[in-house]
């Protein structure tokens, strides 16, 4: 379905049902489809909401508005339009940085945060040459295949999954591709994330070359001290595609604990005034 929010038409993929919704935000290079193999393992118990960021997938691509705050506003608009009363944010890489900013705003209804190979809240500083390389990484089929094989993955993707990554990366608008290395990656939201107060789990690939385990331990975990980290053995940056069953299992376990905590809180006696 399409939702008009923040002046932009955002494409949203929906499936499943349940009182608790999972709102999935994809990585730089992906789309809502990136989450399909994770979401289908969870849709029997939860409502699934997966968005295409502006400029990606089937969403509109305005000329500007690609800061982390803009992407966060888009996602919050979708959440409001769908009237989600209880939800958990699940953000991957760039989508993880967006999810952190949303969670820092402490919106009504947010019950938990899942960060999958997230970009840390601190700026990622690249040289001009590195930035140019990243900006051009998704320019052609050949360049995307190189990035898949040498940067993004540690495990081979099956043919259909690989083709999906190529299609999604090629489809994105040029301004969306440029905005991450030129703008959003360099943004500093460290002060904001100190306000995150919901249960948080971080899922990191052992062999991730983009958002490395050591980087997350240094730049993310100290800023969200209540967050728990799970490291996926042998996985790279695209864990939702490389190890979807493992990602879904960790998310399901996290949600079970959330539900238990909510039930315990509901059963506590209300103190007398």
């Amino acid at each position: 379905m399409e939702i008009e929010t923040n002046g932009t038409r955002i494409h949203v993929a929906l499936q499943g049902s349940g009182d608790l919704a999972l709102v999935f935000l994809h990585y730089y290079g992906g789309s809502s489809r990136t989450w399909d193999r994770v979401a289908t393992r969870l849709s029997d118990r939860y409502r699934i909401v997966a968005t295409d960021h502006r400029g990606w997938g089937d969403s509109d691509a305005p000329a500007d508005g690609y800061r982390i705050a803009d992407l966060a506003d888009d996602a919050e608009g979708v959440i409001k339009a769908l009237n989600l009363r209880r939800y958990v944010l699940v953000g991957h890489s760039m989508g993880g940085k967006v999810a952190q900013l949303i969670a820092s705003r402490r919106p009504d209804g947010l019950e938990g945060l899942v960060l999958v190979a997230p970009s840390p809240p601190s700026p990622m500083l690249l040289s001009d040459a590195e930035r140019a390389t990243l900006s051009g990484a998704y320019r052609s089929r050949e360049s995307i295949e190189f990035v898949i094989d040498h940067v993004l993955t540690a495990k081979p993707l099956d043919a259909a999954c690989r083709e999906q990554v190529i299609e999604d990366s090629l489809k994105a608008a040029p301004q969306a591709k440029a905005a991450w290395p030129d703008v959003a990656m360099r943004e500093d939201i460290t002060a904001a994330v100190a306000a995150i107060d919901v249960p948080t789990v971080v899922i990191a690939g052992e062999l991730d070359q983009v958002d490395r385990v050591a980087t997350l331990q240094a730049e993310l975990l100290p800023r969200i001290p209540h967050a728990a980290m799970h490291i996926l053995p042998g996985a790279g940056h695209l864990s939702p595609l490389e190890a979807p069953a493992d990602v879904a299992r960790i998310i399901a376990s996290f949600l079970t604990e959330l539900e238990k905590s909510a039930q315990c809180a509901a059963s506590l006696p209300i103190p007398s005034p």
Side-chain angles (χ1 to χ4, degrees):
M1 70 179 298
E2 316 299 321
I3 292 177
E4 184 80 20
T5 175
N6 196 24
T8 305
R9 183 187 58 84
I10 299 296
H11 176 77
V12 184
L14 302 173
Q15 62 174 300
S17 61
D19 293 333
L20 184 65
L22 306 181
V23 180
F24 289 92
L25 306 174
H26 67 80
Y27 78 105
Y28 172 72
S31 74
S32 55
R33 299 194 301 170
T34 302
W35 294 107
D36 285 352
R37 299 184 183 202
V38 174
T40 54
R41 291 173 161 88
L42 299 166
S43 59
D44 59 332
R45 291 185 57 193
Y46 304 101
R47 185 178 182 185
I48 304 297
V49 179
T51 72
D52 291 340
H53 296 299
R54 59 172 59 199
W56 299 89
D58 291 323
S59 289
D60 281 350
D64 51 25
Y66 293 91
R67 299 170 304 151
I68 294 298
D70 297 314
L71 304 184
D73 289 346
D74 290 345
E76 286 198 88
V78 168
I79 290 165
K80 183 177 180 180
L82 294 175
N83 196 29
L84 302 183
R85 301 296 180 88
R86 300 177 58 226
Y87 63 95
V88 169
L89 288 169
V90 186
H92 178 211
S93 194
M94 177 178 75
K97 191 169 184 178
V98 176
Q100 291 168 61
L101 185 58
I102 297 172
S104 76
R105 297 171 174 176
R106 299 183 175 180
D108 291 341
L110 178 64
E111 298 193 4
L113 179 62
V114 179
L115 302 174
V116 183
S119 181
S122 52
M124 189 177 295
L125 302 177
L126 303 177
S127 67
D128 290 343
E130 289 171 329
R131 191 172 300 111
T133 298
L134 182 54
S135 297
Y138 299 145
R139 192 166 294 160
S140 68
R141 172 176 287 269
E142 292 73 24
S143 65
I144 295 165
E145 290 190 324
F146 179 88
V147 172
I148 291 172
D149 293 334
H150 299 282
V151 180
L152 293 177
T153 67
K155 297 180 178 181
L157 303 178
D158 63 50
C161 194
R162 185 182 180 90
E163 187 60 29
Q164 176 185 305
V165 172
I166 294 169
E167 289 175 0
D168 284 346
S169 301
L170 285 173
K171 187 174 184 178
Q175 60 269 33
K177 294 180 185 180
W180 175 244
D182 289 349
V183 179
M185 178 186 283
R186 304 162 77 177
E187 291 185 77
D188 186 347
I189 61 169
T190 52
V193 300
I196 294 174
D197 62 351
V198 293
T200 302
V201 64
V202 180
I203 303 173
E206 177 191 21
L207 304 179
D208 191 334
Q209 298 182 62
V210 179
D211 293 301
R212 299 174 185 270
V213 171
T215 300
L216 298 179
Q217 289 172 333
E219 298 293 335
L220 177 67
L221 294 184
R223 306 182 198 283
I224 312 177
H226 60 276
M229 177 181 272
H230 293 263
I231 299 174
L232 297 178
H237 190 59
L238 297 188
S239 53
L241 300 172
E242 296 176 73
D246 293 327
V247 172
R249 173 181 50 79
I250 294 170
I251 294 174
S253 177
F254 175 67
L255 297 175
T256 298
E257 291 303 313
L258 280 185
E259 298 279 26
K260 286 180 181 178
S261 297
Q263 290 169 3
C264 288
S267 65
L268 291 174
I270 299 175
S272 301

